[in-house]
Amino acid sequence: PGPELPFLPGCAMKDPTKTSFHRSQTLDFKNGYAFSRLPREGVGGTLFANQLSQDELDDLCTKGTTLTYGQVKRPAPSSFTPAFVAYDKKVLKFDAYFMEEVAISPEENYRIRQVGIYYYLEDDSMCIIEPKVKNSGLLQGKLMKRHRVPKNEQGDYYHWKDLNLGIDLTIYGRTYRLVNCDCFTKVFLESQGIVVNPPEELVSDPYTEQRRTPFQKPIVPAGPDPFRQFLTYDTKVLRFYAIWDDTNCAFGDHHPCIIHYFLADDTVEVREIHKRNDGRDPFPVLMRRQRLPKIFVDKNKNFPSCVLEITDHEVQEWYSPKDFGIGKTVTLLGRTFLIYDCDKFTQDFYREKYGITDFQPVDVNKKPLEKVPQVIPPYNGFGIPEDSLQNCLSLFPKPPRKDVIKMLENNLKVLRYQVALESPVPEDKSRRFILSYFLSDDTISIYEPPVKNSGILGGKYLKRTKVTKPGSTPENPIYYEPSDFTIGSTVEVFGHRFVITDADEYVLNYMERNAESFPAATVQSIRDHFLPRKVVVETTSSGIPKKDLDDLIVEVQKELKLQEPFNTRQFHEAFHHFDKEGSGFLDKARFLNICDRFHVPTSTILLKKLIDYCSCDEDKV
């Protein structure tokens, strides 16, 4: 309006050419510093009629004095700060709630929703935010975006002066009850001269409180809560070491097992401990994990004894931890287990739950069986005792072990002796046998040379075998050795008595080479026996024709065969009796006396002639 018209309704005039309505800029930067300045233009860039103040006009009037005395110092003008700078990031925060009607739920009629009302001082805008609640089923968060909220239909907006505690604030048809504010809000309102009402208690949603209250389930005396038991005892297992005695069955044995009791669901599992080369299939589980019934409800007579599954109403009592303990015997599905030990966790559980302190393990080690002395049955006479003894030592007898070193050293070494059978039968007195002693394995064989027209079939009399001495027992047999064979000694072979009358020259040579292994009497006996033969050899070599000597010996043997059987044993014993020095020589006179005493069936002429050939001296024969 012009200066000539009053600023009254109807006197205002609009400039239709004016298109800019912005306010002039009052903030600026100079040399990197922000400063404020007075607006030089009005709204839309309209210049002020007079930009100089009255003081400046008065100063211009008195400019002359300023030139004379200098410019008068004036105080600095007050700084100008816009509202959006002074109240930047300053927000008033109120705690409030509103009531929302619920018409579709039988459990609640209304719902209390708690919100926060924020008032921004820089531009007088407001927003409402509801904290998000998990699983609430409501669209929560920012209920009203930030803007200036209209107060009434006249176009007024809410101001911070309209806000206080304990009042109802209606925004877009919804009434909010302001109950509390933060410390900054309270200080700001009091600094502006507003009396802040006392805070009120924030009302909670009754349905939410009801949901938060733990539901009191009716106490059922049937048992503890399985879910609570699972959460409390999950992964906690009692371990018992037990022995399953299965000796009542065929091929039964004591089986070491481990019993696992799972506290989470009161199930039991049995695992068998397998050892290397125990002869059993390595099944990991003997009884799978399951609840095991202890006492059944009384069944009807017509109820089948074998069922596929056992229900809870068929069982009166299940196995529980109190049924297990060291030294107790439990029967699980028909198998009896003796618990002899447990692990440390199991001991701590029973000590805390039942107050048991005695956890001494039970000794289940097998006691060593008393060794029963083996009774060897008497020797039955078949085979050698060592071979027969193998039938008593093992089910599948093995041949006796042989001395391989001895067999290799004495291979093909045989001592041969001529023996006569000592028998009351007259026909057996003239029988002669060859006894062979094998040094490789200490066995004896007897062979009878066949004699024509004797009426006895010769051949093998005793096959090669070991011969025990008379008086030895089957438990401790004593066999004949080479040292037991002397000239004139008696050898008893399975009830038959043989007298050694002669030996092979190899026997003398072997005994002389191994004189330390034979008694001196045995070696001397063989030497004395072979001494006359040596004399005959010396005599033959001295000049007597060997043919004449052989003819003489053959003639004497013929006469001896034609006569009655001659007892050569007593004849030799008489010679040894009179040969006290053991030289092997006798006087001619004494020799003839002995021949007359035993009635030697030979003519005196042949006997004297033989004495002459065998004499080594004038008086010795």
Side-chain angles (χ1 to χ4, degrees):
E4 64 279 357
L5 295 177
F7 188 65
L8 295 174
C11 298
M13 183 191 303
K14 274 188 179 182
D15 188 1
T17 61
K18 187 176 182 180
T19 59
S20 178
F21 300 94
H22 65 274
R23 300 178 63 182
S24 60
Q25 180 68 22
T26 58
L27 299 178
D28 199 357
F29 283 88
K30 187 175 184 181
N31 297 330
Y33 294 94
F35 67 95
S36 60
R37 62 186 180 184
L38 294 176
R40 298 179 179 272
E41 299 175 350
V43 177
T46 306
L47 296 176
F48 294 113
N50 186 9
Q51 296 183 358
L52 299 177
S53 62
Q54 186 64 37
D55 295 337
E56 292 177 344
L57 296 175
D58 294 342
D59 186 34
L60 290 176
C61 296
T62 59
K63 195 66 176 176
T65 59
T66 302
L67 296 174
T68 304
Y69 302 103
Q71 191 172 2
V72 179
K73 295 181 179 180
R74 298 176 182 179
S78 59
S79 59
F80 173 76
T81 304
F84 61 88
V85 176
Y87 298 113
D88 185 28
K89 297 182 181 179
K90 293 182 180 180
V91 184
L92 305 181
K93 196 258 182 180
F94 296 89
D95 295 332
Y97 68 89
F98 67 94
M99 184 181 300
E100 183 181 24
E101 184 180 358
V102 180
I104 60 175
S105 175
E107 298 180 359
E108 55 179 345
N109 299 326
Y110 64 93
R111 184 180 298 123
I112 300 296
R113 301 177 63 176
Q114 301 174 358
V115 297
I117 300 177
Y118 297 88
Y119 185 91
Y120 298 88
L121 295 174
E122 58 177 327
D123 56 355
D124 298 329
S125 60
M126 299 174 63
C127 74
I128 301 176
I129 298 176
E130 180 182 9
K132 291 185 178 181
V133 179
K134 191 175 182 180
N135 297 330
S136 64
L138 302 175
L139 295 177
Q140 298 175 326
K142 184 175 289 188
L143 300 182
M144 187 184 71
K145 67 178 182 179
R146 177 179 173 181
H147 66 287
R148 295 189 69 184
V149 180
K151 181 178 181 181
N152 48 37
E153 297 179 358
Q154 287 75 20
D156 298 332
Y157 298 97
Y158 276 108
H159 196 262
W160 52 266
K161 296 179 180 180
D162 302 325
L163 306 178
N164 202 340
L165 301 183
I167 64 173
D168 294 332
L169 190 64
T170 302
I171 302 176
Y172 296 123
R174 180 178 289 174
T175 302
Y176 297 89
R177 181 70 176 181
L178 306 182
V179 296
N180 204 350
C181 64
D182 59 0
C183 183
F184 172 76
T185 304
K186 183 178 180 181
V187 172
F188 178 79
L189 295 179
E190 291 179 350
S191 65
Q192 299 299 326
I194 298 177
V195 178
V196 180
N197 298 328
E200 299 178 359
E201 185 178 357
L202 189 61
V203 181
S204 301
D205 182 26
Y207 180 73
T208 304
E209 294 297 328
Q210 180 183 357
R211 291 289 302 272
R212 291 177 180 175
T213 304
F215 178 69
Q216 297 294 336
K217 295 183 179 180
I219 300 176
V220 181
D225 184 11
F227 185 67
R228 180 180 180 86
Q229 180 182 359
F230 173 78
L231 295 178
T232 305
Y233 295 109
D234 187 25
T235 69
K236 295 182 180 180
V237 183
L238 304 180
R239 175 178 292 183
F240 301 94
Y241 301 97
I243 288 291
W244 171 31
D245 188 1
D246 192 30
T247 55
N248 296 331
C249 301
F251 309 104
D253 198 0
H254 292 85
H255 303 266
C257 301
I258 296 178
I259 301 176
H260 289 153
Y261 187 93
F262 297 87
L263 295 172
D265 52 359
D266 295 326
T267 55
V268 181
E269 178 190 65
V270 181
R271 290 179 173 267
E272 185 176 359
I273 301 175
H274 294 280
K275 297 181 181 179
R276 190 174 183 181
N277 298 330
D278 58 357
R280 301 186 183 91
D281 293 334
F283 291 104
V285 179
L286 182 63
M287 295 184 189
R288 65 176 179 86
R289 181 178 175 180
Q290 58 183 316
R291 292 189 70 188
L292 297 179
K294 181 181 179 183
I295 301 175
F296 288 93
V297 179
D298 295 337
K299 301 178 182 178
N300 299 327
K301 294 183 178 180
N302 56 358
F303 187 82
S305 59
C306 181
V307 294
L308 296 178
E309 295 182 357
I310 299 175
T311 58
D312 292 343
H313 67 272
E314 297 173 358
V315 179
Q316 183 177 350
E317 183 180 355
W318 301 87
Y319 273 103
S320 60
K322 65 181 179 181
D323 299 321
F324 298 88
I326 297 178
K328 290 185 178 181
T329 301
V330 293
T331 302
L332 307 178
L333 299 182
R335 295 179 175 89
T336 302
F337 297 87
L338 172 63
I339 300 175
Y340 65 88
D341 200 1
C342 60
D343 61 355
K344 186 177 183 304
F345 172 77
T346 307
Q347 296 178 7
D348 297 340
F349 176 81
Y350 276 89
R351 187 181 294 109
E352 180 181 354
K353 186 72 177 291
Y354 299 103
I356 300 176
T357 58
D358 186 12
F359 298 101
Q360 183 67 24
V362 180
D363 186 12
V364 295
N365 296 327
K366 293 183 180 179
K367 296 182 180 179
L369 300 177
E370 296 181 0
K371 189 174 182 180
V372 180
Q374 186 177 10
V375 179
I376 304 298
Y379 177 58
N380 55 7
F382 293 95
I384 60 176
E386 288 82 358
D387 196 6
S388 300
L389 183 62
Q390 299 300 320
N391 297 318
C392 306
L393 300 180
S394 62
L395 184 61
F396 300 97
K398 298 179 180 179
R401 299 186 63 179
K402 299 180 180 180
D403 190 352
V404 180
I405 304 300
K406 183 178 180 180
M407 294 177 63
L408 295 176
E409 291 178 353
N410 299 311
N411 187 26
L412 302 179
K413 293 182 180 181
V414 183
L415 304 181
R416 294 180 177 86
Y417 301 89
Q418 180 180 351
V419 295
L421 181 62
E422 189 179 77
S423 173
V425 180
E427 290 79 4
D428 294 338
K429 293 182 178 181
S430 60
R431 298 174 65 180
R432 296 294 179 267
F433 300 88
I434 304 298
L435 187 147
S436 301
Y437 187 92
F438 297 87
L439 296 173
S440 59
D441 54 357
D442 298 330
T443 56
I444 295 176
S445 69
I446 299 177
Y447 175 78
E448 182 180 9
V451 178
K452 293 182 179 181
N453 301 324
S454 64
I456 298 174
L457 185 64
K460 184 182 292 185
Y461 185 81
L462 175 69
K463 71 175 183 179
R464 183 175 177 179
T465 183
K466 286 187 176 182
V467 180
T468 57
K469 292 183 179 181
S472 63
T473 60
E475 294 79 10
N476 188 19
I478 301 175
Y479 298 101
Y480 278 106
E481 297 178 356
S483 60
D484 299 325
F485 300 104
T486 59
I487 301 299
S489 63
T490 303
V491 179
E492 184 175 347
V493 180
F494 302 117
H496 300 272
R497 297 172 62 86
F498 295 89
V499 179
I500 299 177
T501 59
D502 198 358
D504 193 1
E505 291 186 5
Y506 177 78
V507 177
L508 178 62
N509 297 333
Y510 180 80
M511 288 186 177
E512 288 180 350
R513 287 196 304 267
N514 303 275
E516 67 279 358
S517 302
F518 296 92
T522 303
V523 178
Q524 188 63 34
S525 173
I526 302 299
R527 287 175 180 173
D528 294 344
H529 178 72
F530 281 96
L531 184 61
R533 298 184 184 181
K534 291 183 179 180
V535 173
V536 172
V537 173
E538 292 176 358
T539 304
T540 304
S541 61
S542 61
I544 300 174
K546 186 175 184 303
K547 185 177 181 301
D548 296 343
L549 181 60
D550 293 338
D551 294 340
L552 180 61
I553 292 174
V554 170
E555 188 175 355
V556 172
Q557 288 179 351
K558 287 181 179 181
E559 289 190 3
L560 290 176
K561 291 180 180 180
L562 294 176
Q563 302 297 330
E564 295 181 357
F566 181 69
N567 192 351
T568 58
R569 179 183 176 186
Q570 295 180 359
F571 190 69
H572 289 158
E573 289 179 355
F575 277 116
H576 286 288
H577 175 72
F578 288 104
D579 187 13
K580 297 181 179 179
E581 297 178 358
S583 60
F585 296 95
L586 290 177
D587 296 338
K588 293 182 180 180
R590 182 168 294 180
F591 178 77
L592 292 175
N593 291 334
I594 293 173
C595 291
D596 293 338
R597 183 183 302 177
F598 286 94
H599 304 286
V600 177
T602 307
S603 64
T604 307
I605 298 173
L606 293 176
L607 187 61
K608 289 183 178 181
K609 191 175 181 179
L610 182 62
I611 291 173
D612 293 338
Y613 281 169
C614 296
S615 298
C616 60
D617 198 358
E618 294 181 357
D619 298 330
K620 298 290 183 179
V621 62

